[in-house]
Structures are given as C-alpha cells and as structure tokens.
Amino acid sequence: PTFYAEQYGLNVKESALFSVLPAVCGGLGGLAAGSVADKLLKNIEQDPDKDFETSRTTVRKIFQGIALYGPAVTLFILASHIPEQPWVAQALLTGTVGLQAFNAAGYGAANQEKAGEKWTGLLYALTSLPGVMVGSFGVYVTGQLLDLTHDWSKIYALTATINVIGATAFVTLYDGKKEFD
C-alpha cells in the first residue's frame, strides 16, 4: 500500500485494494506450480527410460528459474519506468508475486526433498529462520533507502538484481541428489 499511496496519491483504502490482487495471484501461482511440478515428476517417475534424480533436478531448476527470473523482468520494467497509471503498476506487481510463487515447486520443495522424510522438518526450520531474518532486515534497508532516495525505481532495480543473482546461483549449483534418508 505504501507504494500506491506515495506514487499515486491513493488513500489507505484504495492502496489496500490494489494490494489484494497480487496476494491472490501468488496463492494461485503457488498452487498451479506445485500441481504442474507434481504431474511432471509423476510422469517422469513412471518412465523407466528417465533418470528420476536428474529429471527432478531439472524440474526444480525450471520452476525456481521462473520464480526468480520472471519477477526480475517485471521489476526491471518497473525500475526503468514507473507507470503513470496505478493499474499498470498493479499488473506488473501482480505478475511479480504470481511468478515468485513458483518457488513452491523450486527451492521451496527442493531442499526438503534432499533431506528425506526424517530430516525435512528440521531442515525447513533451519533454512526458514535465516530467510525470515534476512527478509526482516530487507524491509528495514528498503525503508532506509526510500527515506534517502524517495525513489521506488531503485528498490525495484535492487530487488530484480538480487533475483537474477539468486536464480543464477540456484540454476547453476542445485542438484536433486538426496543427501539423507
């Protein structure tokens, strides 16, 4: 809501309404990604000619690539030119959140698969805590940058850049090999 209020002069109620659609799209994107990834993996598992571990790695990389490269595109568009109409910004931000939700079938599923059933809960907790801490720090840094620059374009460009770095690292380094049983 802050972006819409500051950029377009909308009041809190109007800003909040613009913020609902991205959240809905994110939920739907996560459900769709999980469903499609599960179907792909089930088909691969039933094909005796395919190496399941390699195929699982490919599926996770594709979905995480969508989850980070896709939003990077929409955020770079926002960074290069904040639209004059709030609905255009909403469409871009909705796309950002909807695509980011593909993480549910990328990194969100990947590390828990590697741990095996016995260690999944512990691994999820250990990987979530740093993520929450970094995310909280990111909110603070974003506020500080906005206070200094009053420029949302820089925030969107920074976020897009972080997405590209993260996607590139995941797509390059991740493998679906099960580490524990």
Side-chain angles (χ1 to χ4, degrees), residues 1-180:
T2 304
F3 167 71
Y4 295 111
E6 289 180 3
Q7 193 66 40
Y8 300 107
L10 301 177
N11 64 36
V12 174
K13 182 180 175 185
E14 293 167 330
S15 296
L17 291 174
F18 271 99
S19 300
V20 170
L21 188 57
V24 170
C25 194
L28 294 174
L31 291 171
S35 178
V36 171
D38 285 348
K39 285 178 184 168
L40 285 171
L41 291 172
K42 186 176 233 176
N43 289 340
I44 292 166
E45 194 172 33
Q46 294 172 352
D47 187 344
D49 296 330
K50 300 218 181 199
D51 175 22
F52 183 70
E53 199 169 274
T54 301
S55 298
R56 180 175 56 205
T57 297
T58 302
V59 168
R60 298 299 176 221
K61 286 181 175 187
I62 289 169
F63 279 86
Q64 192 59 38
I66 293 168
L68 291 172
Y69 287 128
V73 170
T74 61
L75 291 168
F76 277 130
I77 291 169
L78 275 168
S80 67
H81 176 72
I82 300 290
E84 293 180 24
Q85 299 297 321
W87 67 268
V88 177
Q90 181 189 33
L92 290 166
L93 291 170
T94 298
T96 297
V97 176
L99 290 167
Q100 188 279 327
F102 277 60
N103 176 333
Y107 176 80
N111 283 335
Q112 285 65 33
E113 278 179 342
K114 290 175 75 72
E117 292 179 22
K118 181 178 179 183
W119 300 103
T120 298
L122 177 63
L123 183 61
Y124 183 77
L126 291 174
T127 58
S128 293
L129 178 62
V132 169
M133 291 171 59
V134 169
S136 297
F137 180 69
V139 170
Y140 171 77
V141 169
T142 299
Q144 294 300 310
L145 287 172
L146 282 172
D147 286 346
L148 285 171
T149 66
H150 304 288
D151 186 359
W152 283 92
S153 295
K154 288 180 176 44
I155 301 302
Y156 292 135
L158 176 61
T159 305
T161 301
I162 291 168
N163 278 5
V164 168
I165 292 167
T168 303
F170 188 89
V171 168
T172 303
L173 302 173
Y174 176 75
D175 73 70
K177 182 180 159 220
K178 200 172 220 177
E179 302 291 336
F180 306 104

